[in-house]
Amino acid sequence: MRSLLDARRVAAGLGVLVVFLTACTTQGAKQPGRGPDLAQPASSQPAQGQGQTAGSGSLTPPGTHLAFGGAATVGWVPPSQDTGTGAHHGIKLKVTVVSIQKGTMADFRNVELNGNQRSSTPYYVQLRVTALSDATVPKDSDPAITFTAIDDRGQEQQSITFLGTFSRCDDPTPPKQLVSGKTYQSCLAYLIPGGGSIQKVQWDNGPAAANAVTPYFDRPIVWG
């Protein structure tokens, strides 16, 4: 279920397309918190293939290429903690891009769209996130929106923010508290113009040394 305000993407400073449902249900705001599990990337070479995951003591290396359904171990740095020039640590998660699904405009029968949007093609990215430690999720943060969809022209696409609940691709409010071993599902929806398609999904977030950019920025983990 999506919050009426859906402040997660706004607080993260991400550009997103907002669409309105004809009927929507609201939820209360999430509470702030701290307590991330510290994690650092492994130094080994990128791996390839179905379902390959780094060992429990390390992160999946930057540049790893996975098939859909393959799991990666990452150190998620929430936007509120990815500031300044100091070292950035991460909350340890196992993340999976389960699938990319093509939709139809019939899915949007109860959604207000303009003419250009109605000529686009819907795509849905199904995600799975598992906590590998207990941690409090900072206010207005969601690891699901860290994933980036790439279209058939190699361009990043913006996910849709719904003001209400979109049953075809539900993006539930993330838990306030991550519990080790607990998994939650999520879905990101896209409207791709010009007959394009989503071909792959990537994760470019991760720990970084002081005065440095995370190595995942230039060498993301890629599914597809």
Side-chain angles (χ1 to χ4, degrees):
M1 182 173 294
R2 297 171 192 267
S3 165
L4 178 63
L5 297 179
D6 207 347
R8 289 170 288 161
R9 291 175 172 83
V10 177
L14 298 177
V16 294
L17 170 66
V18 180
V19 296
F20 298 84
L21 302 181
T22 56
C24 54
T25 303
T26 62
Q27 295 182 181
K30 295 176 285 298
Q31 300 299 315
R34 294 185 180 274
D37 175 59
L38 304 186
Q40 295 294 336
S43 58
S44 56
Q45 295 299 312
Q48 294 186 352
Q50 174 79 32
Q52 295 182 3
T53 305
S56 59
S58 60
L59 304 184
T60 299
T64 296
H65 195 121
L66 297 170
F68 296 119
T73 301
V74 301
W76 172 50
V77 182
S80 62
Q81 298 175 1
D82 191 12
T83 59
T85 57
H88 297 141
H89 303 290
I91 299 173
K92 199 170 185 181
L93 305 171
K94 182 170 70 173
V95 297
T96 303
V97 177
V98 178
S99 64
I100 297 174
Q101 301 170 357
K102 183 179 179 179
T104 69
M105 291 313 300
D107 301 334
F108 288 76
R109 64 175 65 88
N110 295 323
V111 181
E112 297 179 14
L113 299 176
N114 62 35
N116 290 334
Q117 292 164 353
R118 288 203 170 276
S119 63
S120 300
T121 304
Y123 278 86
Y124 310 114
V125 175
Q126 299 288 343
L127 307 170
R128 184 166 57 242
V129 177
T130 302
L132 296 182
S133 63
D134 297 338
T136 301
V137 177
K139 183 180 180 180
D140 298 331
S141 296
D142 183 359
I145 62 173
T146 305
F147 291 91
T148 301
I150 308 297
D151 67 16
D152 53 330
R153 293 158 292 184
Q155 298 176 347
E156 296 184 5
Q157 290 292 329
Q158 298 174 348
S159 63
I160 301 169
T161 295
F162 291 94
L163 301 189
T165 300
F166 183 56
S167 58
R168 178 61 179 81
C169 183
D170 189 30
D171 181 17
T173 300
K176 299 175 183 178
Q177 185 70 36
L178 297 174
V179 178
S180 184
K182 183 83 177 284
T183 297
Y184 79 92
Q185 305 284 137
S186 190
C187 180
L188 299 179
Y190 300 83
L191 287 174
I192 310 300
S197 62
I198 292 179
Q199 297 293 308
K200 60 185 180 180
V201 180
Q202 65 185 34
W203 176 282
D204 59 9
N205 176 280
N211 300 303
V213 176
T214 176
Y216 293 92
F217 182 80
D218 291 323
R219 301 175 62 208
I221 300 170
V222 178
W223 286 263

